Amino acid sequence: MAVISRNSGNGSGVSSSVTDDPILPSLQSIYETLRSQNSSDQINFADFDVLVANCINSFKSDPRYRDDIRFLKIWFLYMDGSSDYERVFKEMEEHRICMRKALLYESFALFLEVKGRLIDACMIYHLGISRNAEPLGKLKKAQVLFLERMSDRVSNESFQKMKNGVSVEDGDNFINPWSVSTLKNLLQKMNSKVVVYEGYLSSNRAYPGKVALSTLLKSAKNKSINIGGENYQIKGCAGQGGFAQVFKAYVDSNPDHVVALKIQKPPFPWEFYMYRQLDIRIPEKERKSFGFAHTLHLYSDYSVLVTDYFAHGTLQDAMNCNAVIGGSMDEVLCIYYTIEMLQILETLHCAAMIHGDFKPDNLLIRYSRGDPTEDVNDFRLRAGTWGDQGLCLVDWGRGIDLSSFPEGTKFMGDSRTSGFRCIEMQEKKPWTYQVDMYGLCVIVHMMLHNAYMEIEKRASPEGGFHYQPKSHYKRYWNVNLWKNLFAKLLNFNPDEDHRTLLQSLRESLQDYMCSDQKLIKKLKQLLVKQRTSLCSA
């Protein structure tokens, strides 16, 4: 690995003055040692490791070298000589080393691929793209090449291991549900089902439209595109991720017929499969809380998922409205949305499905046509207008269909979603439903405190340990309700029925709200006010 100076110069690559560029002597020493190795001279690896470590320790906190490619290469020399490369990468993140440069993620992903850590390598590409590392196009191309290499490695033997509950990559008795091989094999297994689902439209050709889908993000508004014989007038970008963009669109230029178009490259039919499983498994009364997909247009280069469009934004938007004026969400609203989320997870998990990416951006707000009533029983039973509003869980790209795996399967994948990695992911332990329950805890904490949740591990009086949020509760809150919710969900025993736990927590919150009609009245007023605020935004 060459160590390059900022300016062109002599053969050693060192030409700037030490005063202007104090890292140069270290680079010079490392370069000379590497050159001696290339000249087949004897190299003392212990001395070389010391040189690299001294360079890292001397300049890791120097902001001048935070985005310096030369220093990034030194970090990878350091990583190559370390037995704990994950710790090294974490240290690089702590010091913000080249966080916005594609080379960081491409280099680390290749490093992990060589080590056989294919799942982790895949997640690193995801991480870099989600951070819009530059040049983004180069990183996406590297990721596509990686996926092609991984596809070549998938075999019938690896799928047999997966079916038996064995991780394809590392031989552990657990599965990463988001690995390339797992999803590819599941889709192959489900292909006979998916192709007959209503709305599944597949083509072996590339997208044939006159307007390139890749240009929409730069200039989308009012462009018209034809997908599967249907004309869509793009009205703006409704959301953007590392691999997909979501656009608001009018069907045939009709403002009364609005949909969301999720355009993804490479094509990704898994989410459509999950939506159709929701159609089958979710009771009709609860179905409106889980989003609906109309059609999937699958091309060789893109997939376009057509779904319902919600005009009132996300739960994250609702929280941001309060943050703008320096406050947090009213506790009554927090309780209401917590009840909604508990009901959603209770229903979803009873259907043997896991969302896997439970966060406020993926919870859309639903409002009824008329204002909700102040009737306590209507609220408790979610009857009338109370049943027509609430939350709607969308974005099923990380969804997990438990019926596709042997009974009792546990997972070891890491979502790499900052702030939403459950305790089991953080401690490298197997998990199932905990990924969704932890996400719920983070969202509740965000509603109450306007901040992501940080947890601490404390010794329990009866022995062992328990987890709890670090943040303190305000005196005027119903503290016991919140303490009970966090204590139960963060310290859930996997051997117990968590669905009963979700139900009991939901009912305790409902009991509190129904204990005083004034709370229902206040909630109604807050929802009306919030709707006005979100509509104006």
Side-chain angles (χ1 to χ4, degrees), residues 353-410:
M353 301 173 77
I354 296 172
H355 186 265
D357 197 17
F358 200 78
K359 57 186 182 181
D361 310 77
N362 292 333
L363 287 160
L364 303 179
I365 293 181
R366 298 184 295 119
Y367 290 110
S368 59
R369 290 183 180 274
D371 292 341
T373 68
E374 296 178 15
D375 186 277
V376 171
N377 289 325
D378 281 355
F379 174 80
R380 184 187 292 276
L381 299 173
R382 297 167 81 223
T385 49
W386 284 110
D388 294 332
Q389 66 173 43
L391 296 173
C392 179
L393 183 60
V394 297
D395 195 345
W396 293 89
R398 285 187 175 270
I400 301 170
D401 175 11
L402 291 173
S403 69
S404 301
F405 300 95
E407 187 175 352
T409 296
K410 294 183 178 180

Side-chain angles (χ1 to χ4, degrees), residues 275-314:
Y275 270 115
R276 286 297 176 261
Q277 292 304 304
L278 292 167
D279 294 339
I280 296 167
R281 302 186 201 181
I282 300 297
E284 184 178 353
K285 181 184 176 183
E286 303 296 335
R287 184 65 187 86
K288 63 187 68 176
S289 296
F290 296 91
F292 183 78
H294 300 282
T295 54
L296 173 72
H297 300 273
L298 192 65
Y299 301 100
S300 62
D301 53 348
Y302 284 95
S303 60
V304 182
L305 186 68
V306 184
T307 65
D308 284 344
Y309 177 77
F310 288 77
H312 303 294
T314 67

Side-chain angles (χ1 to χ4, degrees), residues 219-242:
S219 177
K221 198 166 185 180
N222 291 323
K223 278 188 177 179
S224 291
I225 59 175
N226 186 286
I227 302 174
E230 195 86 66
N231 289 312
Y232 297 94
Q233 184 182 14
I234 305 296
K235 302 306 294 182
C237 184
Q240 181 183 358

Side-chain angles (χ1 to χ4, degrees), residues 428-444:
K428 299 188 182 302
K429 295 178 180 178
W431 53 266
T432 50
Y433 297 107
Q434 296 97 319
V435 63
D436 287 346
M437 297 194 297
Y438 188 85
L440 186 148
C441 288
V442 176
I443 297 171
V444 173

